[in-house]
Amino acid sequence: MASLSRAQARRVALAAQGFRDPRHTVPTMRTFNRTLARTGVLQIDSVNVFQRAHYMPLFSRMGRYDTSLLTRAAERRPRRIVEYWAHVAAFMPVELWPHMRGRMEVYKQRGHAWVGMPERAELVSSLVAEITDRGASTSRDLDAGLPRKKEHWGWNWSETKKALEYLFLAGELAVAGRTPQFERLYDLPGRVLPRAQLDAATPTAEEAAVELVRRAAVSHGVGTEHCLRDYYRMQLVPGGGDLARAAVASLVESGELLPVEIEGWDRPAYLHRDAALPRRMRARALLSPFDPVVWERARTEALFGFRYRIEIYVPEAQRVHGYYVLPFLLGDRLVARVDLKADRREVALVVKAAWAEEGAPVETAAELAEELAEAAAWLGLERIEVEPRGDLAAELSCEVKAVSVG
């Protein structure tokens, strides 16, 4: 069995995610398509203290880009991506829709942990009928004024919203776009998805599992069975774990996955046969908490020796590193983390805290300052402010004075 050092495994994983690709001066839709082919999905999150999560992996790999590329891909014909519960809530390529039908059927029959099964069947059918007549609509457009109550980390969901989410998970409705307030616009799948995906035959559960594991292996480059199963959250549906295990075995048998040992890992791993193994990695990027490189925290720790926890839901006094902390990738290592806030009123990117990892290279602060300047310019901000919290803050404050935003 072949073996990889931890550093080699990191470089394989980063190359698979697109960090070996050069950043284009002006990213185009072709650049977007290439990047999406690497990440596979873009996790969606509504937190906007710095930038919403689904925009960030594209910036991390492409550099400054026009975010309307994502809007065009998701909302205009020919649609390239569509929202679904592909990891958690995420944009996925439209061609994955048929492979999600088994998952949709499970949600249709059993509901979802956060949404449940709507108790009012007439509400569900009436919502579909109303959307059929009026077109893409938000929950507020359709809400009959039923009482609201605070649930789910502060989400304020009415019974209408719960029913719409159930229909979305069941594949009875699709998301046609988002409003400026980030509300979903629900519509019939036939008015959202390209005809080719609507007419495509439904794969068997085994065929769908093989395709999802294959895509996960391409995006991860190398990973354990758990890594490959988790990329598309196959374990969320009954029998998903067994299907993933069988899919891994099938892809090993066909030669698409190669069993490997990774230094320090106590589980077997699998290398995609087309994965690149660069001798060096020259990446420099801020990573969203929901970036595929770091979203599976145990994998992040095993690959990078980087223990990472998001602290949004932790009381302020108990936070270790900050509210919205982004790891900083330099070369093939995660060398620092920064708590960032885009102060749009003051047109400033505020570094609430900056921390260096043990063994971070001497150029960490300077490289981070350059990347922060890129991020500020991308967000339309004019300056960077560094607050004096964290062991990297003082040095970073000096370095940001030497860079220009714009």
Side-chain angles (χ1 to χ4, degrees):
M1 183 183 296
S3 63
L4 296 173
S5 69
R6 187 176 296 183
Q8 287 175 319
R10 285 199 300 269
R11 295 198 296 273
V12 168
L14 292 169
Q17 280 288 316
F19 286 101
R20 192 174 61 157
D21 298 346
R23 289 183 174 180
H24 291 184
T25 304
V26 181
T28 63
M29 186 58 77
R30 180 176 294 182
T31 321
F32 172 90
N33 292 337
R34 181 193 68 186
T35 305
L36 184 67
R38 306 283 197 259
T39 66
V41 290
L42 299 170
Q43 185 173 337
I44 298 169
D45 191 80
S46 61
V47 175
N48 198 27
V49 65
F50 170 61
Q51 174 61 295
R52 288 196 169 105
H54 46 287
Y55 292 113
M56 272 303 297
L58 299 171
F59 170 74
S60 299
R61 292 152 179 79
M62 292 162 44
R64 288 188 240 176
Y65 75 100
D66 184 345
T67 56
S68 69
L69 287 175
L70 180 58
T71 305
R72 283 170 50 198
E75 300 182 17
R76 299 180 194 169
R77 295 180 180 178
R79 279 190 170 90
R80 295 167 170 85
I81 56 176
V82 66
E83 289 192 34
Y84 191 62
W85 211 258
H87 177 71
V88 288
F91 287 108
M92 68 178 188
V94 292
E95 60 266 24
L96 271 184
W97 186 267
H99 294 86
M100 292 293 168
R101 287 184 187 140
R103 188 172 303 193
M104 293 170 184
E105 186 60 29
V106 170
Y107 288 139
K108 184 175 182 178
Q109 298 300 325
R110 302 191 180 198
H112 184 274
W114 294 354
V115 178
M117 285 285 289
E119 297 176 358
R120 296 174 54 197
E122 74 277 9
L123 173 60
V124 170
S125 59
S126 70
L127 288 170
V128 173
E130 188 168 356
I131 288 172
T132 300
D133 289 341
R134 68 181 290 164
S137 306
T138 68
S139 174
R140 283 198 298 172
D141 293 333
L142 300 166
D143 204 318
L146 297 173
R148 294 173 176 266
K149 58 184 179 180
K150 287 280 187 178
E151 291 180 348
H152 301 301
W153 300 302
W155 296 346
N156 201 11
W157 281 13
S158 67
E159 294 305 309
T160 300
K161 174 64 174 175
K162 291 177 184 177
L164 289 168
E165 285 295 295
Y166 164 77
L167 288 163
F168 161 64
L169 289 164
E172 300 292 320
L173 293 177
V175 176
R178 294 271 185 166
T179 69
Q181 292 74 40
F182 203 60
E183 296 171 294
R184 280 184 173 135
L185 284 160
Y186 301 90
D187 206 346
L188 303 180
R191 298 199 289 236
V192 174
L193 275 295
R195 192 79 252 163
Q197 277 67 53
L198 294 168
D199 294 342
T202 300
T204 66
E206 292 76 16
E207 289 168 340
V210 167
E211 182 63 18
L212 294 179
V213 170
R214 173 184 289 119
R215 286 172 178 259
V218 169
S219 292
H220 263 331
V222 66
T224 65
E225 180 189 300
H226 174 81
C227 296
L228 302 179
R229 181 176 71 237
D230 183 71
Y231 207 89
Y232 289 95
R233 289 289 169 92
M234 298 172 69
Q235 68 271 28
L236 289 179
V237 298
D242 292 337
L243 285 166
R245 192 173 304 112
V248 169
S250 173
L251 291 168
V252 169
E253 185 177 358
S254 70
E256 193 164 345
L257 293 183
L258 310 175
V260 293
E261 293 179 345
I262 298 177
E263 175 192 5
W265 289 28
D266 59 3
R267 294 182 181 181
Y270 303 91
L271 176 73
H272 192 272
R273 66 184 175 198
D274 297 330
L277 175 50
R279 295 181 65 182
R280 295 190 63 186
M281 180 60 60
R282 302 179 185 275
R284 188 185 74 187
L286 292 162
L287 302 180
S288 158
F290 308 104
D291 191 289
V293 171
V294 297
W295 68 22
E296 214 293 300
R297 310 306 192 205
R299 174 182 167 87
T300 303
E301 193 161 354
L303 272 178
F304 296 94
F306 186 91
R307 190 175 189 277
Y308 184 42
R309 301 292 183 272
I310 191 166
E311 299 180 272
I312 291 174
Y313 308 114
V314 176
E316 184 174 3
Q318 298 175 26
R319 291 178 195 140
V320 176
H321 295 108
Y323 178 78
Y324 200 76
V325 174
L326 285 78
F328 178 53
L329 172 68
L330 188 63
D332 66 1
R333 296 172 55 203
L334 298 175
V335 299
R337 59 187 92 200
V338 281
D339 182 14
L340 297 182
K341 177 181 179 179
D343 189 333
R344 295 168 179 91
R345 179 175 296 180
E346 297 297 325
V347 204
L349 176 57
V350 182
V351 181
K352 306 291 291 182
W355 309 85
E357 293 299 294
E358 183 178 353
V362 294
E363 66 270 21
T364 294
E367 295 283 357
L368 177 55
E370 292 281 355
E371 196 62 21
L372 289 170
E374 285 289 303
W378 175 54
L379 294 175
L381 305 174
E382 297 175 355
R383 65 184 189 281
I384 304 168
E385 298 177 1
V386 182
E387 296 185 356
R389 181 167 183 254
D391 57 11
L392 190 61
E395 186 178 357
L396 181 62
S397 181
C398 293
E399 292 292 348
V400 298
K401 295 173 184 176
V403 301
S404 60
V405 175

